[in-house]
Amino acid sequence: LNLCVLPEAESTNTLLREKANAGAPEGTVILANTQTKGRGRRGRSFYSPADTGLYLSILLRPDGMTPDQAVKITTMAAVAVCEAVEEISGKETWIKWVNDIYQEGRKISGILTEASVSMENGSVESVILGIGINVYPPESGFPEDIRETAGSVFDGKQNDGKNRLAAGVLNYFFKEYERIDRTDYVEKYRAKSFVVGKEITILSPSGNRQATALDVDQDCHLIVRYENGQTERLSSGEISIRL
Ligand code: BTN
């Protein structure tokens, strides 16, 4: 690994994308103590206060991968985060499809995967895998809009919690990535998915739809059944669980 630790970055994903475009090799990792413009999925920001969270990005250059296979990387990362967090905290974690990690009913981690695709042959040239984990409670609490939903791995500061978590996530992730052709991580992903069997709302710009989540399949797509009985296989998107 080519690990770069910074006191601050706008966004480790943005910075690593620049390095990737300038030819940085696979395995380049940027870790920042705080982000001034941390990014989440769907154009949202990711709250990234200093000292209390882990913000890291990993550059990957998978061989001959098509864009729709890139979801594998996110899935593996979600499993790696669960394994590392459980090992360090001793508390169970759950995945909300696609890639939000929950502990005790609160979101403790999010993943933002950004691929760049070759114009020549349509294959994935590089992937920036960005992982954010709330390790300790932020000093002034979470911002209002996520106060009810966000949580952190530990209740209070531990000396080495953040470092051990960073090492754990990287170790677990690369262990899976080295054998990307195997699919046993899918079983782990399914076992951790808490949406199966739940009533969900699928959020989309063209209108929300109510459905039941039936299963997560071998490609980590979500199988849903709408109220009219029609079923669909979703490869990505945003859902909320109806309680
Ligand atoms: C989400 O929950 O919507 C995804 C959040 C991803 C946050 C991480 S923190 C490290 C990396 N850099 C970013 O700007 N975002 C990702």
Side-chain angles (χ1 to χ4, degrees):
L1 290 189
N2 175 2
L3 179 63
C4 167
V5 180
L6 302 174
E8 181 181 300
E10 275 198 0
S11 150
T12 55
N13 264 35
T14 310
L15 185 58
L16 192 52
R17 167 52 60 207
E18 286 165 16
K19 289 189 189 259
N21 293 350
E26 172 161 279
T28 303
V29 177
I30 299 180
L31 207 152
N33 189 46
T34 180
Q35 300 184 113
T36 52
K37 287 189 188 153
R39 293 187 289 113
R41 297 176 68 229
R42 319 214 146 223
R44 284 189 293 241
S45 65
F46 186 77
Y47 182 58
S48 312
D51 306 327
T52 58
L54 190 59
Y55 318 110
L56 68 92
S57 298
I58 305 171
L59 169 58
L60 302 167
R61 296 189 181 278
D63 241 2
M65 179 179 267
T66 60
D68 66 298
Q69 289 169 331
V71 66
K72 268 186 160 184
I73 289 179
T74 310
T75 311
M76 284 183 172
V79 171
V81 169
C82 286
E83 289 178 320
V85 168
E86 289 189 0
E87 181 177 279
I88 283 157
S89 68
K91 287 188 293 189
E92 192 138 34
T93 54
W94 298 99
I95 300 169
K96 189 184 129 201
W97 186 85
V98 186
N99 52 17
D100 288 343
I101 318 292
Y102 279 67
Q103 208 167 32
E104 296 176 336
R106 288 176 174 264
K107 175 169 165 176
I108 54 146
S109 170
I111 299 171
L112 177 67
T113 309
E114 298 176 300
S116 110
V117 176
S118 151
M119 300 286 255
E120 273 156 39
N121 58 17
S123 72
V124 171
E125 253 170 7
S126 62
V127 175
I128 308 292
L129 167 61
I131 302 175
I133 306 179
N134 306 325
V135 184
Y136 309 120
E139 253 131 57
S140 43
F142 286 103
E144 184 108 15
D145 54 330
I146 56 172
R147 195 160 291 169
E148 297 300 313
T149 50
S152 46
V153 175
F154 297 107
D155 297 336
K157 278 223 169 132
Q158 316 252 331
N159 283 336
D160 55 353
K162 243 176 79 166
N163 295 343
R164 282 167 52 220
L165 207 47
V169 169
L170 292 170
N171 283 336
Y172 278 116
F173 175 75
F174 279 105
K175 211 167 82 189
E176 295 286 352
Y177 183 71
E178 276 162 14
R179 19 169 240 178
I180 194 157
D181 294 331
R182 305 224 344 226
T183 54
D184 37 341
Y185 68 92
V186 177
E187 274 320 304
K188 294 185 192 163
Y189 183 88
R190 293 173 72 171
K192 294 252 147 247
S193 286
F194 70 64
V195 294
V196 172
K198 300 246 164 63
E199 299 300 311
I200 61 171
T201 302
I202 299 158
L203 312 172
S204 102
S206 58
N208 298 345
R209 288 187 82 177
Q210 315 294 339
T212 307
L214 298 182
D215 198 8
V216 173
D217 73 10
Q218 279 304 312
D219 303 315
C220 296
H221 289 55
L222 185 69
I223 317 286
V224 300
R225 186 178 54 226
Y226 296 108
E227 286 174 326
N228 64 8
Q230 184 198 359
T231 60
E232 195 177 352
R233 190 168 166 262
L234 304 174
S235 62
S236 72
E238 177 96 352
I239 58 169
S240 77
I241 294 169
R242 284 183 276 150
L243 298 170

